[in-house]
Amino acid sequence: MEFGFTEEQLLFRDTIYKYAKNEIVPLCEEADLKSEFSFEIWKKLGQMGLLGLPFPEEYGGQGADVVTCCLAGEALGHAGVDSGHMLALGAHTYLCTDTLFKHGNEEQRKKYVPKLASGEWIGCMGLTEPGAGSDAASLQTTAVKKDDRWILNGSKTFITNAPIANVCVVYATVDKSKKHAGISAFIVEKDFKGFSTGKPFHKMGVRASTTSEVFFEDCEVPEENVLGNIGEGFMYAHQTLEWDRS
Ligand SMILES: Cc1cc2nc3c(=O)[nH]c(=O)nc-3n(C[C@H](O)[C@H](O)[C@H](O)COP(=O)(O)OP(=O)(O)OC[C@H]3O[C@@H](n4cnc5c(N)ncnc54)[C@H](O)[C@@H]3O)c2cc1C
């Protein structure tokens, strides 16, 4: 059995390395020093297909396997792309789009994945709360069904990309007494009534990534924006973090 990289994977890694070195890295220092997310860098990442690597081509992705995705990350880091944009890419691709792709129905996949995979839209994921970090199952943001909508109330913190995101995968509980089994996932667009974000945090590292709080004040989420099944959100969050943290 052959455990090495394929020629195609190595060629891909070298291509990404050279592209990043020439096109992206010259823009990184300024973005980092100014603590500013660069839409120019984002566009370049999108043009190279790097914002939708693991998704099938029919959804605007590159259909890359997990090793190729890791090699892309290695090549970008080796070339010198700043950690802020790397974090933005990771949160967008693995915390948001991948969760939408894995657990979304066909309509949701078609609606969101191509826009996210191209970089036209930016995604984020809201799990952490002021009182629920490592112990994510104790989150307090609630979702209550009202007619054909879910009404979300609560807040999230440390959400990567939140100030610039078009869409957020949000975890909220439909029944606190069920603990993790009450947690459900919702697709919330930035223009939904009752959704807002805070001022970007000042950070010591990953400076060009934008991070903020997210607020839900009677935020109205249509029934068709429930992601997967009610009560399965905690499992989705676990799967998502396995990918993102690896
Ligand atoms: C730059 C950045 C970006 C982030 N982006 C996102 C994002 O996009 N979406 C999102 O949802 N969240 C995001 N987070 C939040 C991140 O997931 C949380 O910071 C993390 O889950 C830890 O939670 P906490 O900060 O509340 O720390 P805490 O849970 O309060 O932990 C503080 C310390 O105590 C330790 N600790 C906790 N519990 C125990 C225990 N039982 N026993 C022993 N030690 C313990 C921890 O290891 C840690 O060292 C981001 C955070 C940062 C810093």
Side-chain angles (χ1 to χ4, degrees):
M1 197 169 186
E2 179 56 65
F3 288 104
F5 299 127
T6 64
E7 270 186 37
E8 202 185 343
Q9 286 169 338
L10 292 174
L11 180 66
F12 177 77
R13 183 182 67 184
D14 290 346
T15 307
I16 298 302
Y17 174 82
K18 285 182 192 135
Y19 176 78
K21 196 98 190 150
N22 293 328
E23 299 286 332
I24 299 177
V25 173
L27 305 168
C28 291
E29 185 181 356
E30 189 184 348
D32 182 76
L33 288 174
K34 287 185 173 170
S35 291
E36 257 177 32
F37 176 84
S38 162
F39 287 94
E40 198 179 345
I41 290 178
W42 194 251
K43 198 169 157 198
K44 286 178 184 287
L45 289 167
Q47 280 167 348
M48 202 57 182
L50 293 166
L51 298 174
L53 271 181
F55 313 113
E57 288 177 21
E58 62 179 299
Y59 297 100
Q62 304 298 311
D65 58 77
V66 64
V67 174
T68 304
C69 292
C70 292
L71 287 175
E74 181 189 293
L76 291 171
H78 183 202
V81 175
D82 67 290
S83 53
H85 286 93
M86 295 293 283
L87 180 65
L89 180 154
H92 167 86
T93 310
Y94 301 111
L95 296 183
C96 179
T97 317
D98 187 61
T99 314
L100 271 166
F101 176 70
K102 282 211 178 87
H103 305 292
N105 57 36
E106 200 47 26
E107 210 173 302
Q108 292 168 337
R109 283 177 164 190
K110 286 207 169 108
K111 180 170 181 189
Y112 294 107
V113 177
K115 278 188 196 155
L116 289 162
S118 69
E120 180 191 342
W121 272 29
I122 298 177
C124 68
M125 182 279 274
L127 175 68
T128 305
E129 298 183 355
S134 306
D135 181 16
S138 65
L139 64 79
Q140 298 293 308
T141 297
T142 54
V144 176
K145 184 88 190 280
K146 193 176 168 201
D147 303 324
D148 61 346
R149 330 209 123 225
W150 287 84
I151 309 299
L152 269 54
N153 277 291
S155 70
K156 301 286 174 183
T157 193
F158 298 138
I159 308 307
T160 302
N161 293 344
I164 51 170
N166 303 82
V167 64
C168 183
V169 170
V170 177
Y171 295 94
T173 177
V174 298
D175 184 347
K176 282 185 194 170
S177 71
K178 289 188 177 166
K179 302 206 170 151
H180 67 278
I183 295 174
S184 308
F186 299 87
I187 307 167
V188 182
E189 294 182 25
K190 71 169 185 187
D191 296 330
F192 283 3
K193 192 169 165 234
F195 177 86
S196 63
T197 58
K199 209 173 141 216
F201 292 139
H202 176 72
K203 303 193 293 312
M204 286 175 67
V206 289
R207 290 156 57 92
S209 72
T210 50
T211 316
S212 76
E213 289 174 286
V214 175
F215 306 104
F216 307 93
E217 290 170 90
D218 289 329
C219 177
E220 294 185 16
V221 181
E223 173 68 28
E224 64 261 27
N225 278 43
V226 170
L227 182 60
N229 296 315
I230 291 295
E232 290 185 359
F234 196 63
M235 183 177 72
Y236 304 162
H238 265 266
Q239 290 172 350
T240 293
L241 290 169
E242 262 172 33
W243 226 137
D244 184 71
R245 301 290 195 255
S246 61

